[in-house]
Amino acid sequence: MHPPYHRYTAEQFLWDESFRDWVVSPTPASEQFWQTWLEEHPEKEAIVRQAARLVRAVQPAEPLLADEEREEAIAQILSARGDTIRPLRRHRFLPWTAAAAVVILLLGAGFWFFRPGVVTPPPTVAFREFTNSHETARLIRLEDGTTLVLQPGSRLRWRNGADKREVFLSGEAFFEVARDTTHPFWVYTARSATRVVGTSFIVREYQSEKRASVQVKTGKVAVYTRRSGSLSAETILTPNQQLVMGPSATNVEKSLPVPEVLREEAPAAEVFNDLSRYYGIAIHYDQETMQQCPVVVPRQATMHLLEKIEAICLAINASYELRDGQLFISGKGCQ
Amino acid sequence: MGRITGQTEEWLWTQVVAGDSLAYEELVHRHYTLLYQYGGKFSRDKALVKDCIQDVFLTLWESRHALNASIPPKPYLLASLRRRIHRVVSYDRLVFDAFQEDTLFDADFGIEDRWIHEEETLRTAAEITRLLNQLPARQKEVIYLKFFQNLSREEIVDVMQITPQSVSNLLQKSFKWLREYWPAGMTLPFFLLSC
């Protein structure tokens, strides 16, 4: 049994170990617990958010230790032991391999997608819910390896079912779906259902918008539109096509590709900057250090975001952390 | 650099005890910053802290055959460093008078305000840090180890060489103090203790 969290103030959460652990280093279990708890106590969301900020903000001052200074001290310890230190080995080149596609679903004003009789999922596997009430996009990683960029004012519920993965979305999200042919990935909205096997796409629905659309960059997706509770026949979309759902008609149109402005060889700092702009999420890194780390990025940069980040980090001997929907890169540089 | 990744602390430790020098290097890499931060709470002399950390690791490697392979490394390292610094610093001072607290621990809590945008949360954070900073050394150290270095009560017992009951008492005293001096008019912090 957990403490009476529903009676907690922000200051009490601040000193709760289980809460702190979840804020500082979330695990699937803690994520599950707190998301479920928040679903059951939506009125506590503001307090929980405030408490999470307190946990991050109240910190002991730590003495400064520059990376070089630390490395030097470590080298001294290791050499004092009398053993040799192995030279640095760097991976300079890593090909992007995975295929990716972008689907943009622009969904118009209208009805809520949980309307009974439309798509009611059987209540077997619990849903996890994500809400972005920040002013900037947030990066989220799902348990199946799929990553998504959730735009402000958006909310989605997701679950990893026995035979399919399902997302119910309100707002806008950019998905990079982990490939798994045995578990197709479905995105349900008020007006459409989109099926993908392993690719990437953006889904958007704001209630204020009349037009809805599905845009594909590369790869292929099947879109079903909804009218009066039933789904239409599928429309297959290929790269640079978009499905536009207006108030009266639904058409397939040509769309402009979204260019991912990755350079062939560039300092890591610039690649991070490109990725940050392309995905619209915050990537924190030390500008000066990362400016000195060249990376090679082939033109067909079709890996998912976290795969790219991981490959770059491996190449420049850095590490990354996904915290509060933002990426934090740390590395010692490449001199 | 052939860093070992994805292995648990416990696994690393057993490898170190077994004489694996790669595991030893990884252990040093993983804990250096933590030790440096903790050491910095006892002395502002950077060189002294670094020397003590080096001594801790060298002693560890030299005496690895005599070490218990099934203990968690973090409290062991923190405790070794704590002992060493206290020894060095008290020698340096020549007198380590009896009225002084038996720890030199001194942490300075502050606010990283990039996390906070609302006025009210900022004021709460400021109040918390102000009160934390006024805690006596030993209480500060327990709070630091438990909440900011994530140590369990048992691990704190190992690090500070005090009884489990003392750890609980120190924590309770700290929270009692935070509660009593919480300014009237601010959200009432109804601290509960689960320790």
Side-chain angles (χ1 to χ4, degrees), chain B residues 32-70:
Chain B
Y32 196 88
T33 305
L34 166 70
L35 290 171
Y36 187 76
Q37 290 176 345
Y38 185 54
K41 305 288 177 291
F42 300 100
S43 169
R44 293 191 196 283
D45 184 341
K46 287 177 125 188
L48 180 146
V49 173
K50 283 184 188 167
D51 283 350
C52 288
I53 297 174
Q54 178 161 346
D55 286 348
V56 165
F57 279 117
L58 290 179
T59 311
L60 185 154
W61 184 247
E62 281 157 16
S63 60
R64 63 188 180 276
H65 308 293
L67 291 172
N68 181 347
S70 56

Side-chain angles (χ1 to χ4, degrees), chain A residues 11 21-22 33-34 42 68 136 139 156-157 208 212 240 243 249 256 264 267 278 290 293:
Chain A
E11 293 85 2
D21 283 350
W22 171 58
F33 173 83
W34 286 101
E68 310 83 67
T136 52
L139 180 66
L156 70 80
R157 288 155 68 83
S208 54
N240 303 331
L243 186 71
L256 288 174
E264 285 220 295
Y278 181 71
M290 293 304 161
C293 290

